[in-house]
Amino acid sequence: MAKNFLNRQTVLQGALTLTVSWLIIRILGAIYRIPLGRLLGDEGLGIYAVPNQIYLLFFTLSSAGIPVAVASVVSEKMALGHYRDALRTFRVARASMLVLGVTSSLLLFFGAGWLIEQGLVRIPEAYLGMRAIAPVIFFAAVTAAYRGLFQGLQNMRAVAYSQLADQVMLVGATLLFSYLLLPRGLSVAAAGANLGAVPGAVGATIMLIFIYRRQRREMLELAGRDISGAREETLSLLRRIFSVAIPVSFAAVAMSITHLIDQWLIIDRLQLAGFSHQQSIAFFGQFNQMAMAFVNISIALAVSLGASLVPAVAEAFAKQNMERIRSQLAQAVRLAVLFALPSAIGLYLLAPQLTQLLFAEAEAGVPLAALSAVVVFWSVHLVTAGALQGMGKAILPVRNLVLGIIFKIAITYYLTPTLGIRAAAYGTVVIFLVSSLLNVIVLSRLAGMRFNLWETLSRSVPATLIMAAGVLAVFRVAELEVGGNTWPTLLAVTAGAVLYPAALLVLGGVRVEDVRRLPGGGRIAAFLKKIGRG
């Protein structure tokens, strides 16, 4: 086989590759918001957030489900030896994305004013930003087809490199454009920040095309050795791709619409409670751009595990190897929870200190503390949804997500006037509490999964409690001895990062099989065996 074309990784290797990428992306995403937040303030971040949400809605409609769908179909065809058809699947997806990307970009560019006139966007200052970010949809749609191909081949490096290139250029351009345009006013500077997404999208597209062109000859050679004779019709391929892509996209669309409804409800309901329009935008910025930045970093591993599970489960499902599916899913859920629990507790304990450290806005700690529990439930949702998508049941996690969103909207509407911005945060927690529980129930029925909560929590919970006690102790001592917020917070975070894995190791919460298949995991596995943790 063509070695570069089939640069395959195990689920854990692929997850680790994507996790490192996602962590860097999310850390960059949080870090660049520090100078951006200080340039624009929480009100400016609120203006900046709205075009991003509109863009995400249009982007989701055009491409969000395509990587998952293409990965699923390509992985299945590769497992069956239908190499020529696997390549055709990508080409069909790419052509459809060109059309959808152009259409969606034009709709957002020329429809920005209409969205404001119809009251769908309650922040008129976001008009320029919506037009500035419109071209990103086209490039993101084309990129989605390429990422789906490489994800289907379980070559997560190509996916990770393109994501990193996108984010690095986005960060630099966002800060540069917003700084240069700040003298022209807050709304123009926020639009400049939105425009910063364009160079990253262009760069990621060029990178993936370059990687594809370098490996194209090997892909064609592999397709030439296909003696299966299988050739699925174009319309059939399109039906298969979009039968997966539409439900997955609908899940993301549902979340994008939820963010838009959040923007609408939060602004209106906070003003009903007596806050001004500017104050309401500021609270929205604290919740959507500051607090959510920490959550997005914390779910990085779960995002990667879910993405890696799709092609792996699709391959096993094509061979009806249910035992392999159960093994992969059980390990993924366990790892997701092991990482999510300490993150959630850490965010809860140090919420105002963290937002003060990064954004000079301690008040953003209020929605962050209320949001902290979502890290656990969102992580479980992502992993279980990835498994269901790989099994061709993409509509089920969407249905479960929508049920959670219904609760979220009700909570935000009825409780915001009394609880303020915390109501929106609590509603987000409820979304993923409901969806993750329902996903677990569905997988128990479809795959015969038996989720052993005691096995997962018996060591991670004590380790988390030890970490929490250490974090609080270090912070209080540092606060008394050093003073201020920066050093006590940094020392407390460092203490947590050291204490949790140490406690987990002592309590036997880390297993050899958890690390053996990771890059460089052989030495760690050997060490665990040596100390009797194998």
Side-chain angles (χ1 to χ4, degrees):
M1 288 192 178
K3 187 176 180 180
N4 290 336
F5 182 34
L6 288 174
N7 188 12
R8 297 164 68 86
Q9 297 170 276
T10 67
V11 172
L12 286 182
Q13 287 174 328
L16 181 64
T17 301
L18 285 181
T19 298
V20 172
S21 169
W22 269 89
L23 279 174
I24 295 172
I25 288 169
R26 294 309 183 186
I27 290 170
L28 284 173
I31 288 175
Y32 92 88
R33 282 186 174 88
I34 301 170
L36 184 65
R38 299 194 181 208
L39 277 171
L40 303 180
D42 47 12
E43 182 183 348
L45 283 180
I47 298 171
Y48 165 75
V50 173
N52 277 355
Q53 292 164 359
I54 301 289
Y55 146 71
L56 284 172
L57 175 59
F58 278 80
F59 162 70
T60 299
L61 287 169
S62 66
S63 62
I66 293 298
V68 172
V70 174
S72 180
V73 177
V74 167
S75 180
E76 176 190 319
K77 289 184 179 296
M78 294 298 292
L80 297 174
H82 302 167
Y83 306 128
R84 186 179 293 108
D85 240 16
L87 187 55
R88 280 191 66 248
T89 299
F90 158 69
R91 288 171 173 168
V92 169
R94 181 178 58 183
S96 63
M97 286 299 96
L98 284 168
V99 175
L100 286 173
V102 169
T103 304
S104 299
S105 288
L106 292 175
L107 282 173
L108 178 55
F109 186 84
F110 292 108
W114 181 84
L115 290 170
I116 293 171
E117 290 169 7
Q118 297 302 311
L120 296 174
V121 173
R122 294 302 179 97
I123 304 178
E125 297 91 336
Y127 170 75
L128 289 175
M130 286 189 282
R131 302 196 78 175
I133 208 170
V136 180
I137 300 173
F138 167 74
F139 293 103
V142 175
T143 300
Y146 284 93
R147 285 177 176 162
L149 170 67
F150 289 115
Q151 185 178 331
L153 300 171
Q154 298 183 43
N155 177 1
M156 300 304 180
R157 293 186 183 90
V159 179
Y161 295 158
S162 67
Q163 290 173 338
L164 285 171
D166 189 342
Q167 186 69 10
V168 169
M169 285 185 275
L170 178 148
V171 168
T174 296
L175 294 175
L176 177 64
F177 295 163
S178 58
Y179 174 76
L180 293 175
L181 294 173
L182 188 59
R184 300 193 178 189
L186 195 57
S187 61
V188 177
N194 294 125
L195 182 64
V198 175
V202 175
T205 304
I206 292 172
M207 174 175 283
L208 283 172
I209 291 174
F210 175 74
I211 295 172
Y212 172 74
R213 296 292 296 181
R214 283 189 63 184
Q215 298 184 8
R216 185 168 177 268
R217 179 181 296 178
E218 289 146 340
M219 294 180 187
L220 292 174
E221 287 176 2
L222 186 63
R225 294 203 295 271
D226 180 0
I227 59 172
S228 67
R231 188 184 189 279
E232 192 169 352
E233 294 297 324
T234 300
L235 287 178
S236 175
L237 277 175
L238 284 172
R239 280 195 298 269
R240 291 189 64 194
I241 290 170
F242 284 100
S243 68
V244 175
I246 289 174
V248 174
S249 294
F250 186 74
V253 165
M255 286 305 299
S256 296
I257 292 174
T258 302
H259 291 316
L260 290 174
I261 293 173
D262 254 354
Q263 168 257 155
W264 183 25
L265 288 179
I266 289 169
I267 301 297
D268 280 7
R269 303 301 282 175
L270 285 176
Q271 289 183 82
L272 180 66
F275 295 100
S276 69
H277 179 69
Q278 286 71 29
Q279 287 175 317
S280 300
I281 293 175
F283 283 127
F284 177 69
Q286 290 172 12
F287 164 64
N288 186 271
Q289 291 295 296
M290 295 180 179
M292 286 300 298
F294 289 97
V295 173
N296 286 332
I297 292 173
S298 302
I299 62 171
L301 177 67
V303 171
S304 306
L305 285 168
S308 297
L309 272 175
V310 175
V313 168
E315 181 179 333
F317 193 69
K319 299 175 181 178
Q320 286 299 295
N321 190 344
M322 301 306 291
E323 183 57 39
R324 181 166 177 78
I325 292 175
R326 286 192 289 268
S327 172
Q328 291 172 332
L329 179 57
Q331 189 175 41
V333 169
R334 183 170 173 275
L335 285 173
V337 172
L338 280 177
F339 278 83
L341 271 176
S343 299
I345 294 299
L347 293 180
Y348 178 78
L349 293 176
L350 297 175
Q353 290 83 3
L354 288 169
T355 57
Q356 175 64 30
L357 175 68
L358 292 190
F359 300 109
E361 190 65 68
E363 287 186 9
V366 173
L368 178 57
L371 266 175
S372 58
V374 80
V375 174
V376 176
F377 302 121
W378 200 341
S379 294
V380 175
H381 165 81
L382 286 166
V383 172
T384 52
L388 287 169
Q389 290 160 10
M391 294 171 67
K393 305 293 183 182
I395 192 64
L396 297 179
V398 175
R399 179 199 65 187
N400 298 338
L401 189 68
V402 169
L403 288 173
I405 288 171
I406 292 171
F407 284 99
K408 149 80 169 179
I409 292 171
I411 289 169
T412 303
Y413 181 84
Y414 287 108
L415 298 184
T416 296
T418 54
L419 295 180
I421 198 64
R422 285 178 297 168
Y426 291 143
T428 302
V429 175
V430 170
I431 290 177
F432 295 102
L433 169 62
V434 171
S435 64
S436 61
L437 288 176
L438 292 176
N439 284 356
V440 166
I441 292 171
V442 169
L443 282 166
S444 297
R445 178 170 55 85
L446 290 178
M449 281 296 302
R450 293 294 178 265
F451 293 89
N452 192 333
L453 285 178
W454 171 251
E455 184 181 5
T456 301
L457 300 178
S458 60
R459 292 175 176 81
S460 57
V461 168
T464 300
L465 293 176
I466 292 169
M467 179 209 74
V471 164
L472 288 176
V474 168
F475 180 81
R476 287 170 182 168
V477 170
E479 191 177 33
L480 289 173
E481 297 295 329
V482 181
N485 179 72
T486 301
W487 281 109
T489 303
L490 290 174
L491 289 171
V493 170
T494 303
V498 172
L499 282 172
Y500 180 72
L504 205 59
L505 184 62
V506 170
L507 294 170
V510 180
R511 298 176 177 177
V512 169
E513 59 265 31
D514 291 335
V515 298
R516 179 181 287 136
R517 288 185 291 173
L518 298 175
R523 293 182 179 179
I524 302 174
F527 172 73
L528 290 176
K529 278 192 170 183
K530 188 176 180 180
I531 63 173
R533 297 300 180 189

